[in-house]
Amino acid sequence: MVELVSALSVYAHAKLICNSLCKIAGMLLEAQSLYKEAFVSFSVSLSIEPDYIPSIISTAELLMKLGMQSLPIARSFLMNALRLDPTNHD
């Protein structure tokens, strides 16, 4: 039983590290104006953990940069982030 708990803990940490790395990679790509690649990176993060708020917010910010047609989608991402964590001020 202890081994199972330990394995689950390692898995949880690995997910968090992968999400963080994907988000950082997305931010670096976005800074280089590689918006499609950044979007893919944020999407990978969200495929690992759909409720990972930093990547939800980063995706919304990127969508807002892409213009008027993306604003409703960005708003949806931000509303989801707010629903998940009403106290988040990012």
Side-chain angles (χ1 to χ4, degrees), residues 3 7 12 14 19 21 24 27 39-40 45 54-55 63 83-84 89:
E3 292 172 0
N19 278 335
L21 290 175
I24 291 167
M27 292 173 66
F39 187 79
V40 168
S45 174
S55 288
L63 288 168
R83 179 186 60 80
L84 292 168
H89 298 287

Side-chain angles (χ1 to χ4, degrees), residues 44-83:
V44 169
S45 174
L46 292 172
S47 72
I48 296 168
E49 181 62 47
D51 295 339
Y52 187 61
I53 293 172
S55 288
I56 293 172
I57 293 171
S58 292
T59 302
E61 291 172 339
L62 178 59
L63 288 168
M64 287 188 287
K65 283 184 181 180
L66 296 178
M68 293 299 291
Q69 292 179 329
S70 300
L71 290 179
I73 301 167
R75 183 179 187 274
S76 176
F77 272 86
L78 291 173
M79 293 300 291
N80 186 39
L82 189 58
R83 179 186 60 80

